[in-house]
Amino acid sequence: MRGKFITFEGGEGTGKSTQAAMLAMRLEALGLSVLLTREPGGSPGAEIIRHVLLSGAAKPFGPEAEAMLFAAARDDHVRCTILPALAEGKWVVCDRFADSTRVYQGTLGAVDPRFIKALERVSVGDLAPDLTFVLDVPVALGLKRAALRREGASPDRFEAEQIEFHEKLREAYLALAAAEPDRCVVVDASAGKEAVAKRVWDAANSRLKPAGPRLLENLAS
Ligand code: T5A
């Protein structure tokens, strides 16, 4: 049976990597087989493209070129990592996916939505997340957390954008989630890690009803 595909989205420092890892651990504790991955990256080819994108080397070529590079990375990631894992019945938990291109390059970068759609068709095909968490925090808090995570290193290509960029990013994610309520759940991620993880777990449980071998054993005993 095909596994489930869960993605985490949101602005900088909203806690996506943290919550993706915590959810993966909880699913594994049920006895499910889980793959934790991220974008840009998640496959050897895509990790090379990640380096080019986050260094800012592609910025001078404009948002269309960056969108193509994100799509090239995604194409490799989907084919080499995500689809094989889902076919093996694994649950795939992914830190960012196609919504990031819709929001960063589409809404913020003003790339033509038809171009974004065409790239998505080529790189993603029929694959769609079963559930997407949009983590939401006030911009100042997200940027503060992202700076803590960097531990003094310089901000990457997108963290270095102005505060207005991050405000628009937040609005764009909330609009995206409102447009697809069956797939997207907005989680207020300004509380502590454990409190946010509980909100994520409650939503994953009610939407996807994960039942791994250990849960079934417990119910039977
Ligand atoms: N991008 C990506 C595009 O433009 N288009 C695309 O198509 C794609 C896929 C990726 C960049 O590329 C852009 C978007 C991004 O700018 P990245 O390095 O992967 O770059 O950056 P982010 O995904 O933004 O990751 P961040 O690390 O900045 O943010 P996270 O993952 O949201 O936050 P996380 O979990 O690393 O937490 C940050 C810090 O906060 C702490 C953590 O311990 C950590 O120190 N923290 C909390 N502290 C208190 N309370 C909580 N609840 C906390 N949760 C986490």
Side-chain angles (χ1 to χ4, degrees), residues 2 15 18 20 23 46 54 78 120 134 136 142-143 152-153 163 177 203 212 216:
R2 176 193 180 275
T18 304
L23 177 62
L54 297 196
V78 166
E120 210 171 295
V134 174
D136 182 57
L143 291 177
I163 198 94
L216 296 177

Side-chain angles (χ1 to χ4, degrees), residues 10-19 38-40 50 54 70 74 95-98 100-101 104-105 145-146 148-149 156 158-159 189-193 196:
E12 312 293 313
T14 48
K16 299 172 298 299
S17 313
T18 304
Q19 292 303 325
R38 68 164 180 189
E39 289 208 349
R50 176 186 174 91
L54 297 196
F70 278 113
R74 182 161 304 125
D95 181 356
R96 293 196 182 280
F97 192 60
S100 289
T101 305
Y104 279 76
Q105 282 68 50
R145 285 184 188 167
L148 278 175
R149 194 247 310 129
D156 71 29
F158 295 96
E159 278 168 30
S190 46
K193 292 177 190 179
V196 179

Side-chain angles (χ1 to χ4, degrees), residues 12-194:
E12 312 293 313
T14 48
K16 299 172 298 299
S17 313
T18 304
Q19 292 303 325
M22 290 172 90
L23 177 62
M25 276 172 59
R26 268 197 106 150
L27 292 168
E28 274 168 356
L30 293 180
L32 289 165
S33 183
V34 180
L35 174 83
L36 177 62
T37 186
R38 68 164 180 189
E39 289 208 349
S43 63
E47 288 292 330
I48 294 169
I49 302 174
R50 176 186 174 91
H51 177 72
V52 174
L53 281 161
L54 297 196
S55 68
K59 187 179 177 185
F61 302 110
E64 281 82 7
E66 287 184 314
M68 285 192 275
L69 284 169
F70 278 113
R74 182 161 304 125
D75 178 63
D76 195 60
H77 185 213
V78 166
R79 276 186 301 111
C80 299
T81 305
I82 298 178
L83 289 178
L86 290 172
E88 284 170 24
K90 288 186 178 153
W91 284 52
V92 175
V93 179
C94 189
D95 181 356
R96 293 196 182 280
F97 192 60
D99 292 320
S100 289
T101 305
R102 290 183 188 179
V103 167
Y104 279 76
Q105 282 68 50
T107 310
L108 275 291
V111 174
D112 187 329
R114 289 169 300 179
F115 186 62
I116 298 284
K117 252 194 182 152
L119 289 175
E120 210 171 295
R121 205 165 47 243
V122 173
S123 59
V124 174
D126 293 335
L127 175 67
D130 297 292
L131 178 59
T132 295
F133 288 104
V134 174
L135 301 191
D136 182 57
V137 299
V139 166
L141 178 58
L143 291 177
K144 193 171 146 202
R145 285 184 188 167
L148 278 175
R149 194 247 310 129
R150 280 201 313 274
E151 296 174 331
S154 336
D156 71 29
R157 151 78 179 90
F158 295 96
E159 278 168 30
E161 291 283 355
Q162 301 295 315
I163 198 94
E164 297 81 47
F165 175 94
H166 296 284
E167 294 286 2
K168 283 187 191 155
L169 199 58
R170 186 181 184 200
E171 281 168 27
Y173 266 119
L174 293 175
L176 181 143
E180 289 194 57
D182 290 344
R183 173 174 69 89
C184 299
V185 176
V186 177
V187 174
D188 175 354
S190 46
K193 292 177 190 179
E194 293 296 339

